[in-house]
């Protein structure tokens, strides 16, 4: 029981520290530095638990596949840096659903993924 809890807390801490959506591989890599016993099965099990708890939610990224992010931020868009491969949450939304689709289409939701170079990688160039 003790071990399971510490794995879950380790994963929660990674999300808190990184403050951006994370894939299973990233969580596994960072998590192993905190809890050596972490493996892919335990990461998946804990992610499922955190989704059920409402702490995390999965998002489907067009390039990276399923990522997980913390809930409670409202609607936002995502930016993928092609150099470091990290995904960031962007604040707010500038898209007007009513003017984005032609007349007759009823938009119920949208997702926006931006691609490019993040500030940290931009400085290194
Ligand atoms: Zn970057
Ligand atoms: Zn939006």
């Amino acid at each position: 029981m003790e071990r399971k809890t510490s794995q879950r807390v380790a994963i929660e801490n990674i999300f808190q520290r990184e403050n951006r959506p994370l894939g299973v591989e990233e969580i596994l890599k960072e998590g192993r530095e905190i809890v050596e016993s972490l493996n892919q099965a335990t990461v998946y099990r804990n992610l499922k638990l955190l989704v059920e708890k409402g702490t995390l939610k999965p998002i489907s990224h067009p390039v990276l596949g399923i990522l997980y992010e913390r809930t409670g931020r409202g609607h936002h868009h995502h930016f993928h840096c092609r150099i470091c491969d990290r995904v960031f949450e962007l604040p707010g939304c500038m898209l007007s659903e009513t003017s984005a689709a032609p007349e007759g289409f009823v938009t119920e939701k949208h997702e926006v993924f931006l691609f490019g170079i993040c500030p940290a990688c931009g400085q290194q160039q």
Side-chain angles (χ1 to χ4, degrees):
M1 209 60 191
E2 187 66 31
R3 221 178 98 218
K4 268 184 193 168
T5 305
S6 71
Q7 286 179 346
R8 201 192 69 210
V9 169
I11 290 171
E12 283 178 308
N13 287 345
I14 294 165
F15 275 93
Q16 202 155 17
R17 191 175 63 207
E18 292 295 323
N19 197 26
R20 59 185 180 83
L22 299 168
V24 170
E25 284 306 314
E26 278 180 294
I27 297 162
L28 192 55
K29 193 168 155 270
E30 287 203 38
R32 277 220 176 112
E33 287 165 20
I34 309 164
V35 185
E36 262 181 67
S37 61
L38 214 60
N39 59 52
Q40 203 169 47
T42 55
V43 168
Y44 274 112
R45 195 164 61 231
N46 282 290
L47 285 172
K48 190 169 172 276
L49 227 117
L50 288 164
V51 169
E52 281 166 5
K53 247 181 82 185
T55 310
L56 297 178
K57 67 170 182 182
I59 60 164
S60 183
H61 190 274
V63 174
L64 302 168
I66 300 294
L67 303 176
Y68 293 85
E69 69 178 15
R70 291 196 290 169
T71 56
R73 305 225 181 152
H75 173 74
H76 59 267
H77 301 163
H78 296 98
F79 187 103
H80 176 220
C81 173
R82 64 174 166 83
I83 296 176
C84 64
D85 228 18
R86 290 184 296 178
V87 173
F88 302 89
E89 293 179 24
L90 303 174
C93 175
M94 69 306 291
L95 189 103
S96 161
E97 284 192 344
T98 46
S99 59
E103 215 184 311
F105 289 89
V106 179
T107 306
E108 295 182 326
K109 64 170 189 169
H110 71 265
E111 289 174 38
V112 177
F113 297 96
L114 298 158
F115 301 88
I117 300 167
C118 77
C121 291
Q123 271 172 13
Q124 282 166 26
Q125 286 194 324

